[in-house]
Amino acid sequence: MTLAKWKVGIVSCSGEEIPEGTISRIATRLVLEKLRPEETVTICLPLFLAGGEGERTFAKLFPTITVDGCEKGCAKIGTEKYSGKPFATVVVSDVLKKCPTLTLKSRDKLSAEEYEFAEKVAEEIAEKVDEALRRQNEQLRSEKH
Amino acid sequence: MSEKGKVVVVACAGMDKPLGSVASASVFEVVEKLRPQKSELVCIPPLLAGVSAQTELIKNLPIITVDGCAERCATKLIVKSGGKIRGRIFVPDSAKKHNLLPESASHLGPNGEKLAENIAEEIASMVDSLTQET
């Protein structure tokens, strides 16, 4: 029997109206492609909202981390509405408060400083991925005993 | 210019597909460079999550949707939100037409950038036609 490997679903807001949304998407891609490629998948938020059954089922069975650009929290609201409570949430505008000298301007191509900030957000997401997997493993171990 | 003379452009976020990234890049090109005075970018998830201040805009202005894959989420979600779609772009068709493909979702590469520019030009022409009608 082959057991499916636990994965964590990252749900990023589209966030095209504001620079924080662009940071959400780029930070999510950094996690998927560089930081935790084996442990994560992305869930396309518009598809999820439009009724994508695969996306919704995945988010019911596996832990999810929502990444929102602003306090509107569309990714979190959508995930809660159609699949369940996310394991963790990251809000870019909250992370930005830790960098008072940085002002985000780009919705399209990031400056070097903005990209560095996206990397910082990605690190926060990756930490939550590790925490979600640690929690899953602990749960599996306790179920075995 | 008043909101009345504007067109809303909506792209799928396309997080998991390279052509979705092309969709996003093309609408940024339109609202920031080609037709900043005549177009308005609206993000779709807030409309569905019920947290958008743009709901009225969607109901009152003509809309162009840009979809990155066959799921056509941008189009579906605008229809669900009660918007009037007056123009549609299907990026896979544009990719075939121009024979250009992006390298990946996070890095469009020269061909992907060129494809986004071509689509942006097409959207800009649609914006011009629609604003002349109003």
Side-chain angles (χ1 to χ4, degrees):
Chain A
M1 186 172 70
T2 308
L3 290 176
K5 190 178 177 201
W6 280 105
K7 295 259 185 186
V8 178
I10 319 270
V11 192
S12 169
C13 80
S14 308
E16 287 152 321
E17 289 170 15
I18 54 169
E20 286 84 345
T22 302
I23 297 286
S24 303
R25 294 197 309 279
I26 290 173
T28 298
R29 292 234 70 95
L30 285 170
V31 176
L32 294 164
E33 292 171 6
K34 291 188 181 162
L35 301 182
R36 300 292 184 274
E38 299 298 320
E39 294 86 2
T40 53
V41 294
T42 183
I43 294 173
C44 182
L45 184 59
L47 180 56
F48 185 79
L49 296 173
E53 278 310 311
E55 267 70 10
R56 289 183 183 181
T57 305
F58 179 93
K60 277 178 192 158
L61 299 174
F62 291 80
T64 54
I65 295 169
T66 56
V67 186
D68 279 299
C70 68
E71 66 288 345
K72 281 180 189 168
C74 302
K76 180 173 181 271
I77 291 172
T79 305
E80 283 175 347
K81 190 170 176 185
Y82 296 109
S83 289
K85 197 174 183 305
F87 173 80
T89 58
V90 173
V91 181
V92 174
S93 53
D94 288 346
V95 185
L96 188 61
K97 286 176 192 157
K98 297 177 201 167
C99 311
T101 55
L102 177 66
T103 308
L104 301 177
K105 291 177 186 155
S106 321
R107 292 193 294 185
D108 190 3
K109 292 185 176 66
L110 301 186
S111 65
E113 205 183 14
E114 288 167 333
Y115 191 81
E116 206 174 293
F117 176 64
E119 287 176 323
K120 188 182 168 70
V121 175
E123 290 286 350
E124 289 213 7
I125 302 168
E127 280 172 23
K128 293 189 190 296
V129 169
D130 295 344
E131 202 183 320
L133 292 172
R134 204 164 36 240
R135 197 78 63 83
Q136 290 290 350
N137 287 333
E138 281 169 11
Q139 200 180 324
L140 284 175
R141 268 200 298 273
S142 70
E143 282 169 10
K144 271 188 187 172
H145 292 291
Chain B
M1 184 181 283
S2 70
E3 292 294 334
K4 196 75 188 154
K6 283 192 167 187
V7 174
V8 169
V9 287
V10 180
C12 79
M15 275 301 293
D16 55 350
K17 293 195 173 63
L19 293 182
S21 298
V22 172
S24 293
S26 65
V27 298
F28 284 132
E29 180 83 6
V30 175
V31 300
E32 292 187 351
K33 292 178 191 159
L34 301 181
R35 299 293 182 275
Q37 307 297 323
K38 292 179 170 183
S39 59
E40 190 79 40
L41 178 60
V42 168
C43 180
I44 26 182
L47 296 171
L48 274 293
V51 292
S52 180
Q54 309 286 43
T55 313
E56 283 307 304
L57 217 57
I58 286 289
K59 292 196 170 138
N60 296 325
L61 295 181
I63 301 164
I64 298 169
T65 57
V66 187
D67 287 300
C69 80
E71 297 285 352
R72 292 178 166 85
C73 299
T75 299
K76 278 183 196 166
L77 293 173
I78 287 299
V79 169
K80 206 169 170 180
S81 307
K84 292 172 234 157
I85 297 173
R86 301 291 306 278
R88 288 168 64 185
I89 301 273
F90 185 51
V91 179
D93 283 350
S94 305
K96 272 188 204 159
K97 183 175 139 191
H98 299 289
N99 196 25
L100 292 168
L101 279 177
E103 283 172 25
S104 70
S106 51
H107 180 68
L108 296 184
N111 286 349
E113 298 276 358
K114 183 72 191 154
L115 177 59
E117 282 169 23
N118 288 340
I119 293 170
E121 292 286 350
E122 208 178 320
I123 300 168
S125 300
M126 286 181 179
V127 168
D128 291 342
S129 306
L130 290 168
T131 47
Q132 273 164 19
E133 283 175 21
T134 54

